[in-house]
Amino acid sequence: MADNAKAAAEASKPPAVVMPVAKAEGNPALRMMGLPRFRAKLPSRNWLIFLSITGSFTTALLYDRNQKKKVQKKWCDLVSHLARETLPVTQLPRRFTIFLAAPPGDGLRSAREYFQEYVKPVLVAAAVEWDVVEGRREGDVRAGVAERVRKLRRKNGEKAPVELEQPEEDLVQGIQEKAGIRPSSDLEGDLIIGRHTWKEYIRGLQEGWLGPLHPPDPPPIAIPAGAPASEPSLEDPSTDLTAEQATASESGDASVSAVAPEAPPPPPKPVTPIPPYISPSQYSSSSLASTAPRTLQPAVALPFPHILGILNTPVRTFRFLTQRHLADEVGHVVADMVLAGSARPFVAEQEFASSIDPDSPAASLGSGENQSGAGEGAVIASGSRWEQQGVYMDEEKEWHKSARKLNPPGEEGKERVWSEDMIIDERIGQRMTTFVNSMTNDEKLQRVAEEHALQAADRQRNPGWIEMIKLWTGFNENDKRVKGWEQGFVGNESA
């Protein structure tokens, strides 16, 4: 009973009040500065989605650009030894010719950026010079290549019906020859960017070596039947008066004012690009120039993937994040061109047989075709496919639709180099060559390793300002010299 009474008395007592202990509300210094209290917590669902997407894209972009720099440095180091070679004062450096054109459906800026970003670093590392031939529209590069070949033919002795003025380049070259300055003895050639420029380059070569030196006569203007033939006036048209003016002057009527003569029409603007001197259908019936060499200058093409359209955004994004692969491929081709010591001819493989209509224009085009009758209305054609025809052929699938659009009415005869098939004359195809680099992969790796060792030795002899700061502060663990703050600044302090 006593225990129960004691338990009841304890239960009747009021509970003890526990005073709460004040918790510290973060760092007092931050609290006094007015900064809020930061609590560690996971972001919301939307923030997690946003940070994941942006973080992944940024990481992929930074990784690609870092690898791209390493790849470009590898190919630049492979050819950088050429820049250290001494050159006689009477010899010109190597010079290549770069051909680039605006891709279908786009402007010239994209082609220029491609050259600046992928091609130029390797050429600068090798200390070579280059000339650039640009084409803003379809046919400009073809016209430029053909005119360059025609100038070479005139220089080699071929005479044109109309003598042209000596260009400024020939004058400069004549001055150099008189001064004893000779061109480089190393292999030089042409570098073509993109499949569309390659097709124009091939057609320009054939037009230059198979076509005439002077432009063909323009076609006669068709006069519709029944139109009165106008006779040219022998007098100055500015002094002719109309019938009303003559009547007014004879009658003395001052109310009729003299009508001013009409202004002469403005001169026609020059057609750009220059129309071709010869069409592909005339290749087989044209004679090769007498000054044509046995082998032409070597030429090599570069890939230029270029796709447009909002529906192709995934493809464009993927290529934007994988530029390291394109830089590796382009750097490899350009480095092989710079290091090439010889050239090989393009090959033609006997690899196809097709049935074509003998009445179609395609039956009379091409070269090296052996046709045999195989029934009524069709022939079986077995021929040669040139190596030049298959260079980066996959790029045509990604061209803008304007490259495959038909000519508008009234311009049916307009040249369409991009959309037409590449036709190669056998005489030109056999003379075309490309660069050959005899170095193996092991030799290339050894050359890059040697270049890296030279760069490391140069950095050891001439450290940059960052290395000097590390040495002075003692953060360079590999350097066992006395720290800079222990020995003072490097130099002659007693002076």
Side-chain angles (χ1 to χ4, degrees), residues 392-409:
Y392 304 119
M393 188 179 294
D394 295 339
E395 293 184 8
E396 296 190 13
K397 302 177 183 178
E398 300 178 351
W399 286 353
H400 192 260
K401 60 182 179 182
S402 60
R404 294 178 287 271
K405 189 179 298 183
L406 300 177
N407 291 330

Side-chain angles (χ1 to χ4, degrees), residues 352-358 360 362-363 371-383:
F352 69 87
S354 61
S355 176
I356 60 175
D357 186 2
S360 64
Q371 299 181 357
S372 60
E376 186 176 351
V379 294
I380 299 298
S382 62

Side-chain angles (χ1 to χ4, degrees), residues 471-474 479-488 490:
L471 174 62
W472 197 86
T473 55
D479 201 327
K480 303 302 181 181
R481 290 178 292 181
V482 182
K483 307 299 184 294
W485 55 271
E486 296 178 356
Q487 65 177 358
V490 177

Side-chain angles (χ1 to χ4, degrees), residues 19-345:
M19 299 299 294
V21 179
K23 296 182 179 180
E25 298 181 358
N27 193 327
L30 298 179
R31 187 170 64 254
M32 295 300 295
M33 294 173 61
L35 297 178
R37 181 182 179 183
F38 297 98
R39 298 180 180 178
K41 63 177 182 179
L42 287 176
S44 63
R45 168 182 170 274
N46 294 341
W47 273 106
L48 285 175
I49 296 174
F50 172 76
L51 294 176
S52 301
I53 295 176
T54 55
S56 302
F57 186 87
T58 304
T59 303
L61 180 62
L62 295 177
Y63 174 78
D64 178 72
R65 296 303 181 266
N66 185 30
Q67 295 298 318
K68 177 183 173 183
K69 289 182 180 179
K70 292 182 179 179
V71 166
Q72 289 184 330
K73 187 178 184 301
K74 176 184 67 174
W75 298 116
C76 291
D77 293 342
L78 181 63
V79 300
S80 60
H81 69 280
L82 299 175
R84 295 190 296 269
E85 296 179 357
T86 58
L87 195 67
V89 294
T90 58
Q91 181 178 344
L92 296 173
R94 296 177 68 185
R95 183 177 293 271
F96 295 93
T97 305
I98 314 297
F99 293 90
L100 57 90
D106 205 347
L108 189 59
R109 180 179 178 180
S110 57
R112 288 176 175 173
E113 291 178 350
Y114 176 94
F115 170 75
Q116 295 281 345
E117 190 171 356
Y118 297 103
V119 183
K120 185 178 178 180
V122 183
L123 298 180
V124 172
V128 299
E129 296 184 354
W130 63 86
D131 296 325
V132 180
V133 178
E134 296 181 344
R136 294 182 177 275
R137 65 186 71 184
E138 183 178 3
D140 285 350
V141 173
R142 186 269 312 158
V145 175
E147 186 59 29
R148 189 179 69 157
V149 174
R150 286 191 286 265
K151 287 181 180 179
L152 182 60
R153 291 172 57 182
R154 297 189 192 100
K155 181 182 177 181
N156 292 340
E158 291 192 39
K159 294 184 178 180
V162 180
E163 294 295 336
L164 303 177
E165 297 182 0
Q166 189 176 12
E168 184 179 355
E169 299 176 358
D170 296 345
L171 296 176
V172 174
Q173 189 175 4
I175 295 174
Q176 292 176 351
E177 292 177 355
K178 292 180 180 179
I181 300 176
R182 64 183 187 276
S184 175
S185 58
D186 297 329
L187 189 64
E188 300 177 347
D190 302 331
L191 180 65
I192 298 92
I193 298 178
R195 167 79 176 181
H196 60 292
T197 314
W198 177 252
K199 297 183 76 172
E200 294 193 34
Y201 177 83
I202 297 293
R203 182 167 292 192
L205 279 181
Q206 298 181 107
E207 178 186 341
W209 291 113
L210 300 177
L213 288 176
H214 58 89
D217 298 331
I221 301 176
I223 301 177
S230 59
E231 297 181 358
S233 176
L234 300 178
E235 300 178 358
D236 188 1
S238 62
T239 60
D240 295 342
L241 299 178
T242 61
E244 295 181 357
Q245 294 176 357
T247 306
S249 60
E250 291 177 359
S251 60
D253 188 2
S255 61
V256 180
S257 60
V259 180
E262 296 182 359
K269 297 181 179 180
V271 180
T272 54
I274 302 175
Y277 289 11
I278 184 175
S279 62
S281 59
Q282 299 173 340
Y283 290 165
S284 57
S285 60
S286 301
S287 58
L288 184 66
S290 58
T291 58
R294 286 184 171 272
T295 58
L296 301 178
Q297 268 195 337
V300 65
L302 291 177
F304 188 13
H306 188 77
I307 189 170
L308 300 175
I310 191 172
L311 297 180
N312 297 317
T313 300
V315 178
R316 299 176 65 181
T317 304
F318 175 78
R319 291 180 178 177
F320 178 74
L321 296 176
T322 56
Q323 292 183 4
R324 58 187 182 274
H325 303 306
L326 181 60
D328 190 17
E329 183 177 1
V330 174
H332 191 184
V333 176
V334 178
D336 285 347
M337 179 192 71
V338 174
L339 297 173
S342 60
R344 66 165 180 85

